[in-house]
């Protein structure tokens, strides 16, 4: 396992089109997260899954955004009717829930991201 | 509201010197803090973390200091190397064992000069 994989790495689309990003987490990780990062800023939380259940969604996630993790493994993030303001890096991360308090427990491992440019 | 920020957006250090990156947070309920390093074209990479019941934790060439009184976090990197050049983010979360809904700061770009 080489870590968290995201596809595509880059996507250029026209305003109004739909786009879908895929994330393959580290295989033994039961938690999966989506974050968004705009240029010069830190990542912002969008949503997370524990196994196949989507347990929390940020208010940043408008109704044009939908995320799924149907089998508790890979996840997709779809953006419908894209807007120029959606241009950003979409980062996926995964973690293994660990009830210990040791350093590094529950740490999110991030993928390289999918960069979206909406023209 | 929750916010995590950094005092300096850029920092330049001579190779071999020590560097200190600072971070201020505003959520007094935060229980867990973490530093990530992000190189160009890559996702954030874990460096070191610390819980609120500690004030210092050391790793390999890195030390994180937490001052809960003034809500301040710092990352010290010893004997900096060219590979340390990156953007460094601090982040906080209310819990360590629950979902990691991390709140990230803006980031500090560290440049190591040869």
């Amino acid at each position: 396992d080489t870590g968290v994989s995201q596809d595509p790495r880059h996507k250029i689309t026209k305003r109004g089109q739909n786009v879908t990003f895929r994330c393959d987490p580290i295989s033994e990780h039961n938690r999966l997260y989506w974050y968004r990062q705009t240029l010069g800023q830190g990542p912002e939380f969008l949503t997370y899954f524990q196994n196949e259940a989507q347990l929390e969604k940020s208010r940043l996630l408008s109704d044009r955004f939908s995320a799924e993790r149907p089998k508790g493994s890979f996840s997709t993030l779809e953006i419908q009717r894209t807007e120029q303001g959606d241009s950003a890096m979409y980062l996926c991360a995964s973690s293994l829930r660990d009830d210990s308090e040791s350093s590094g427990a529950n740490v999110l491992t991030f993928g390289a991201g999918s960069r979206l440019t909406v023209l | 509201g929750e916010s995590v920020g950094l005092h300096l957006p850029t920092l330049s250090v001579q190779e071999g010197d020590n560097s200190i990156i600072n971070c201020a947070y505003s959520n007094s309920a935060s229980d867990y803090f973490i530093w990530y390093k992000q190189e160009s074209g890559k996702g954030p990479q874990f460096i070191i973390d610390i819980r609120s019941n500690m004030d210092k934790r050391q790793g390999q060439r890195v030390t994180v200091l937490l001052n809960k009184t003034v809500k301040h976090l710092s990352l010290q990197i010893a004997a900096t190397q060219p590979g340390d050049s990156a953007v460094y983010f601090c982040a906080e979360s209310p819990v360590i064992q629950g979902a990691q809904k991390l709140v990230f700061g803006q980031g500090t770009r560290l440049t190591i000069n040869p």
Side-chain angles (χ1 to χ4, degrees), chain A residues 36-103:
Chain A
R36 181 172 69 186
Q37 185 176 27
T38 54
L39 196 62
Q41 302 296 316
E44 297 174 291
F45 172 82
L46 292 179
T47 188
Y48 97 94
F49 294 82
Q50 180 155 310
N51 300 314
E52 67 276 6
Q54 187 174 19
L55 297 185
E56 188 168 352
K57 294 169 61 173
S58 163
R59 61 182 181 275
L60 295 175
L61 215 64
S62 75
D63 56 5
R64 296 185 298 105
F65 288 71
S66 62
E68 296 183 343
R69 195 184 184 197
K71 297 182 180 179
S73 56
F74 74 92
S75 175
T76 58
L77 176 68
E78 181 183 17
I79 308 173
Q80 296 181 327
R81 305 180 304 281
T82 52
E83 302 173 356
Q84 289 183 326
D86 297 332
S87 295
M89 176 75 82
Y90 290 86
L91 292 163
C92 177
S94 67
S95 71
L96 178 65
R97 173 162 181 159
D98 182 342
D99 290 334
S100 74
E101 296 183 359
S102 59
S103 177

Side-chain angles (χ1 to χ4, degrees), chain A residues 9 31 33 35 37 40-45 48 56 91 95 97-113, chain B residues 32 34 36 38 41-51 53-54 57 87 89 96-107:
Chain A
R9 291 294 312 278
R31 287 184 168 164
Y33 310 79
Y35 280 75
Q37 185 176 27
Q41 302 296 316
E44 297 174 291
F45 172 82
Y48 97 94
E56 188 168 352
L91 292 163
S95 71
R97 173 162 181 159
D98 182 342
D99 290 334
S100 74
E101 296 183 359
S102 59
S103 177
N106 294 281
V107 166
L108 272 65
T109 300
F110 283 88
Chain B
Y32 176 69
I34 188 167
Y36 278 91
Q38 188 172 27
K42 298 183 179 179
Q45 177 186 2
F46 168 75
I47 300 174
I48 193 168
D49 58 357
I50 189 168
R51 285 201 66 190
N53 60 356
M54 303 175 66
R57 170 165 267 174
V87 177
F89 294 98
I96 182 173
Q97 296 172 350
Q100 296 262 294
K101 184 181 174 182
L102 296 173
V103 176
F104 283 80
Q106 185 179 10

